[in-house]
mmCIF file of all heavy atoms in Angstrom:
data_model
loop_
_atom_site.group_PDB
_atom_site.id
_atom_site.type_symbol
_atom_site.label_atom_id
_atom_site.label_comp_id
_atom_site.label_asym_id
_atom_site.label_seq_id
_atom_site.Cartn_x
_atom_site.Cartn_y
_atom_site.Cartn_z
ATOM 1 N N TYR A 13 -1.135 -4.296 23.878
ATOM 2 C CA TYR A 13 0.036 -5.135 24.058
ATOM 3 C C TYR A 13 0.783 -5.206 22.751
ATOM 4 O O TYR A 13 0.209 -5.152 21.688
ATOM 5 C CB TYR A 13 -0.327 -6.536 24.548
ATOM 6 C CG TYR A 13 -1.209 -7.325 23.642
ATOM 7 C CD1 TYR A 13 -0.677 -8.125 22.611
ATOM 8 C CD2 TYR A 13 -2.594 -7.276 23.786
ATOM 9 C CE1 TYR A 13 -1.487 -8.854 21.787
ATOM 10 C CE2 TYR A 13 -3.419 -8.006 22.940
ATOM 11 C CZ TYR A 13 -2.854 -8.798 21.956
ATOM 12 O OH TYR A 13 -3.669 -9.517 21.129
ATOM 13 N N ARG A 14 2.067 -5.274 22.837
ATOM 14 C CA ARG A 14 2.933 -5.240 21.672
ATOM 15 C C ARG A 14 3.220 -6.651 21.209
ATOM 16 O O ARG A 14 3.494 -7.522 22.002
ATOM 17 C CB ARG A 14 4.239 -4.528 22.025
ATOM 18 C CG ARG A 14 5.221 -4.381 20.845
ATOM 19 C CD ARG A 14 6.520 -3.759 21.333
ATOM 20 N NE ARG A 14 7.453 -3.595 20.252
ATOM 21 C CZ ARG A 14 7.579 -2.513 19.522
ATOM 22 N NH1 ARG A 14 6.808 -1.487 19.762
ATOM 23 N NH2 ARG A 14 8.465 -2.440 18.549
ATOM 24 N N HIS A 15 3.112 -6.863 19.932
ATOM 25 C CA HIS A 15 3.439 -8.144 19.337
ATOM 26 C C HIS A 15 4.810 -8.041 18.689
ATOM 27 O O HIS A 15 5.166 -7.014 18.131
ATOM 28 C CB HIS A 15 2.401 -8.513 18.269
ATOM 29 C CG HIS A 15 1.066 -8.846 18.854
ATOM 30 N ND1 HIS A 15 0.573 -10.125 18.891
ATOM 31 C CD2 HIS A 15 0.141 -8.063 19.433
ATOM 32 C CE1 HIS A 15 -0.611 -10.098 19.463
ATOM 33 N NE2 HIS A 15 -0.893 -8.857 19.776
ATOM 34 N N SER A 16 5.585 -9.076 18.753
ATOM 35 C CA SER A 16 6.885 -9.078 18.102
ATOM 36 C C SER A 16 6.704 -9.086 16.600
ATOM 37 O O SER A 16 5.688 -9.513 16.084
ATOM 38 C CB SER A 16 7.694 -10.304 18.527
ATOM 39 O OG SER A 16 7.046 -11.473 18.128
ATOM 40 N N ARG A 17 7.719 -8.602 15.903
ATOM 41 C CA ARG A 17 7.679 -8.614 14.442
ATOM 42 C C ARG A 17 7.594 -10.040 13.941
ATOM 43 O O ARG A 17 8.191 -10.952 14.489
ATOM 44 C CB ARG A 17 8.925 -7.943 13.865
ATOM 45 C CG ARG A 17 8.898 -6.425 14.078
ATOM 46 C CD ARG A 17 10.141 -5.797 13.463
ATOM 47 N NE ARG A 17 10.042 -4.345 13.580
ATOM 48 C CZ ARG A 17 9.541 -3.565 12.667
ATOM 49 N NH1 ARG A 17 9.079 -4.092 11.558
ATOM 50 N NH2 ARG A 17 9.504 -2.263 12.837
ATOM 51 N N LEU A 18 6.810 -10.243 12.902
ATOM 52 C CA LEU A 18 6.581 -11.568 12.376
ATOM 53 C C LEU A 18 7.728 -11.985 11.478
ATOM 54 O O LEU A 18 8.487 -11.171 10.968
ATOM 55 C CB LEU A 18 5.260 -11.583 11.592
ATOM 56 C CG LEU A 18 4.055 -11.062 12.391
ATOM 57 C CD1 LEU A 18 2.800 -11.146 11.532
ATOM 58 C CD2 LEU A 18 3.866 -11.878 13.658
ATOM 59 N N ARG A 19 7.838 -13.290 11.255
ATOM 60 C CA ARG A 19 8.898 -13.812 10.412
ATOM 61 C C ARG A 19 8.654 -13.442 8.960
ATOM 62 O O ARG A 19 7.547 -13.198 8.533
ATOM 63 C CB ARG A 19 8.970 -15.328 10.558
ATOM 64 C CG ARG A 19 9.288 -15.760 11.987
ATOM 65 C CD ARG A 19 9.330 -17.272 12.098
ATOM 66 N NE ARG A 19 10.401 -17.806 11.250
ATOM 67 C CZ ARG A 19 10.607 -19.104 11.097
ATOM 68 N NH1 ARG A 19 9.843 -19.982 11.694
ATOM 69 N NH2 ARG A 19 11.594 -19.526 10.320
ATOM 70 N N ALA A 64 6.780 -0.039 13.294
ATOM 71 C CA ALA A 64 5.419 -0.571 13.206
ATOM 72 C C ALA A 64 5.223 -1.680 14.230
ATOM 73 O O ALA A 64 6.145 -2.444 14.518
ATOM 74 C CB ALA A 64 5.128 -1.102 11.804
ATOM 75 N N THR A 65 4.041 -1.744 14.804
ATOM 76 C CA THR A 65 3.669 -2.792 15.743
ATOM 77 C C THR A 65 2.236 -3.233 15.447
ATOM 78 O O THR A 65 1.476 -2.528 14.781
ATOM 79 C CB THR A 65 3.744 -2.315 17.211
ATOM 80 O OG1 THR A 65 2.863 -1.198 17.388
ATOM 81 C CG2 THR A 65 5.155 -1.904 17.582
ATOM 82 N N VAL A 66 1.885 -4.397 15.983
ATOM 83 C CA VAL A 66 0.515 -4.905 15.909
ATOM 84 C C VAL A 66 -0.094 -4.817 17.295
ATOM 85 O O VAL A 66 0.518 -5.253 18.275
ATOM 86 C CB VAL A 66 0.479 -6.364 15.406
ATOM 87 C CG1 VAL A 66 -0.959 -6.860 15.317
ATOM 88 C CG2 VAL A 66 1.174 -6.493 14.066
ATOM 89 N N ALA A 99 0.151 -10.040 8.892
ATOM 90 C CA ALA A 99 1.079 -8.932 8.659
ATOM 91 C C ALA A 99 2.528 -9.375 8.776
ATOM 92 O O ALA A 99 2.892 -10.141 9.668
ATOM 93 C CB ALA A 99 0.802 -7.805 9.650
ATOM 94 N N LEU A 101 6.009 -7.395 9.303
ATOM 95 C CA LEU A 101 6.569 -6.087 9.653
ATOM 96 C C LEU A 101 8.093 -6.100 9.602
ATOM 97 O O LEU A 101 8.742 -5.213 10.150
ATOM 98 C CB LEU A 101 6.105 -5.674 11.056
ATOM 99 C CG LEU A 101 4.601 -5.716 11.324
ATOM 100 C CD1 LEU A 101 4.303 -5.239 12.739
ATOM 101 C CD2 LEU A 101 3.834 -4.891 10.307
#
Side-chain angles (χ1 to χ4, degrees):
Y13 61 88
R14 182 184 181 93
H15 290 252
S16 62
R17 288 181 175 267
L18 306 181
R19 299 179 62 184
T65 59
V66 181
L101 308 182

